Amino acid sequence: MRILKEILVLTTILILIFSCKKNEINPEVRNYLITAIDSIQTNALTSSDVDWETVRAKALNDAKGLTKTNETYDIIVSVLGKLDDNHSFLQKNNANLSYANNKGNKRRSPYGSRMQIEYGLHQREGKTFARIFVPQGLRDNTFAQSLQDRLFEMQQSNPCGWVVDLRGNGGGNMWPMLAGVGPLVGDNPLGGGQKGNGETDGYLYDNGKAIYVDFNGNKKLLAEATERIEILSDDIPVAFLIDRGTGSSGEAMAVIFKGRKNTKAFGEKTYGASTSTRGIKLSDSLNIVLAVATFQDRNKNIYLNGVAPDVEIPIGDEMELPEDDPVINEALNWLMENCE
């Protein structure tokens, strides 16, 4: 009987110890989570819309009993979800772990599978038009030069209008995209981003160079095509094509063209991740990718939820051949009317 009582007492003590442990936060986990939340609160575009006291209390409560920092990832995603910005997410070793929101148009674009530059010339009633597709991805200066080479090749035919296809371009590194098609984007400044406090940064194109102007006015060269063609006059009309698969950096390019003179957008509204991002690395190499500024064009128009086309054309679930593509054909019709 005595032994049984001792066993019951010992069991009770162990239960109490285990219960206390479950209600404690591991110091490493606590510091990691607080660092993550502090970084999000300080830098996020929509930070002022969040009740941080409540969010922080819930996150720390949810972390009770956790022993490893990677066990907090779902908690961090939940915190990011409070930002309601449709763009912030977690990334580990360049692989996206999870998005906080996915409120954009989730229907897949049939044009999103294109990973290579596509280009070609179109003839209508004796007039020549050039078309180039800008694919997504983590590209470099070689990609920028390839875009410029295609522009140069088609420019030899003296096209009187251009089609820039951004459909399915879900983002990546925007700077080689800008350096590549820079001769078509018109005069600087090209737009940029606006923080929640009103501060702005900017994008410039200068003789093959894609330049970022930070929120303090400092300029940084981020991509370059060394063999370049001359900037084409704003008098030359440009049609650009967008769809539900145009997102993030693809949307940044759409905003750049949106502000250009003699330019019109065709297709359907973009995904809606029209914000610039900043990566914040934590101690275990987790990268918190935060939306920090909303895209604005060179005319100071803000694009909170994507870019709407000037001419809306529904896009189905199958990719069309260029000669049969209703979006390309409508763009060419407009170019015909506006070419001199």
Side-chain angles (χ1 to χ4, degrees):
M1 191 68 176
R2 181 180 175 184
I3 294 175
L4 180 59
K5 286 182 179 179
E6 289 177 350
I7 291 174
L8 288 173
V9 169
L10 180 59
T11 302
T12 302
I13 291 171
L14 290 173
I15 290 173
L16 289 172
I17 291 172
F18 180 73
S19 178
C20 289
K21 288 292 184 183
K22 280 195 69 175
N23 288 309
E24 291 178 356
I25 301 180
N26 177 289
E28 181 184 3
V29 169
R30 179 187 177 87
N31 291 337
Y32 180 88
L33 191 55
I34 288 176
T35 298
I37 295 172
D38 285 347
S39 298
I40 296 168
Q41 181 177 356
T42 300
N43 296 285
L45 171 64
T46 59
S47 181
S48 61
D49 298 330
V50 178
D51 179 355
W52 286 106
E53 184 176 350
T54 300
V55 168
R56 189 180 297 270
K58 183 179 186 308
L60 292 174
N61 185 65
D62 291 344
K64 289 178 178 178
L66 303 184
T67 58
K68 298 178 181 178
T69 59
N70 62 9
E71 294 174 336
T72 68
Y73 291 174
D74 286 343
I75 297 174
I76 297 172
V77 169
S78 179
V79 172
L80 292 174
K82 302 301 180 184
L83 300 173
D84 200 27
D85 61 26
N86 199 38
H87 203 177
S88 299
F89 61 96
L90 297 188
Q91 188 180 63
K92 182 86 170 176
N93 299 326
N94 291 324
N96 294 347
L97 298 178
S98 54
Y99 279 80
N101 292 297
N102 269 308
K103 298 190 304 179
N105 189 337
K106 300 184 183 69
R107 207 166 123 247
R108 179 182 170 275
S109 165
Y111 295 91
S113 60
R114 299 181 296 173
M115 292 293 120
Q116 302 300 320
I117 298 169
E118 298 176 11
Y119 66 106
L121 296 171
H122 299 263
Q123 303 290 335
R124 287 200 174 186
E125 299 180 15
K127 293 182 178 180
T128 300
F129 304 94
R131 170 182 50 84
I132 188 161
F133 164 65
V134 183
Q136 65 182 348
L138 299 174
R139 312 286 182 153
D140 55 16
N141 287 343
T142 301
F143 173 73
Q145 188 60 58
S146 294
L147 284 169
Q148 288 252 349
D149 290 346
R150 304 293 81 76
L151 296 186
F152 176 80
E153 181 180 336
M154 291 189 288
Q155 180 63 10
Q156 305 314 299
S157 297
N158 196 30
C160 66
W162 292 76
V163 176
V164 179
D165 192 349
L166 299 172
R167 292 175 297 174
N169 184 326
N173 187 352
M174 72 165 279
W175 302 105
M177 300 178 200
L178 175 55
V181 298
L184 300 176
V185 300
D187 294 334
N188 290 313
L190 305 177
Q194 184 182 98
K195 286 184 178 180
N197 62 7
E199 293 180 354
T200 59
D201 62 0
Y203 317 141
L204 303 173
Y205 174 79
D206 181 22
N207 199 28
K209 299 178 176 67
I211 299 167
Y212 173 62
V213 184
D214 69 20
F215 292 98
N216 296 314
N218 302 308
K219 295 180 180 180
K220 185 175 183 180
L221 174 64
L222 293 181
E224 182 177 10
T226 54
E227 300 294 329
R228 60 266 170 184
I229 66 173
E230 296 297 320
I231 293 177
L232 300 177
S233 168
D234 281 354
D235 293 332
I236 296 178
V238 171
F240 69 97
L241 316 182
I242 53 178
D243 73 353
R244 57 188 178 268
T246 308
S248 189
S249 293
E251 286 174 294
M253 293 304 301
V255 168
I256 286 172
F257 280 105
K258 191 76 172 178
R260 183 187 183 275
K261 294 187 295 184
N262 298 316
T263 304
K264 186 168 280 193
F266 296 81
E268 59 186 17
K269 188 175 180 180
T270 62
Y271 179 82
S274 46
T275 46
S276 56
T277 59
R278 173 187 170 189
I280 299 173
K281 281 284 182 73
L282 298 182
S283 59
D284 64 349
S285 297
L286 179 74
N287 190 29
I288 301 176
V289 180
L290 279 180
V292 296
T294 306
F295 294 147
Q296 65 173 3
D297 66 27
R298 69 194 81 188
N299 302 315
K300 307 302 181 184
N301 297 309
I302 299 292
Y303 296 84
L304 291 171
N305 299 299
V307 180
D310 299 299
V311 179
E312 186 170 358
I313 304 170
I315 293 172
D317 295 322
E318 299 294 331
M319 185 168 60
E320 302 275 1
L321 294 173
E323 57 268 25
D324 300 323
D325 192 322
V327 184
I328 291 176
N329 283 320
E330 192 63 32
L332 291 173
N333 289 339
W334 176 78
L335 290 173
M336 271 291 296
E337 295 172 358
N338 289 273
C339 268
E340 297 180 358

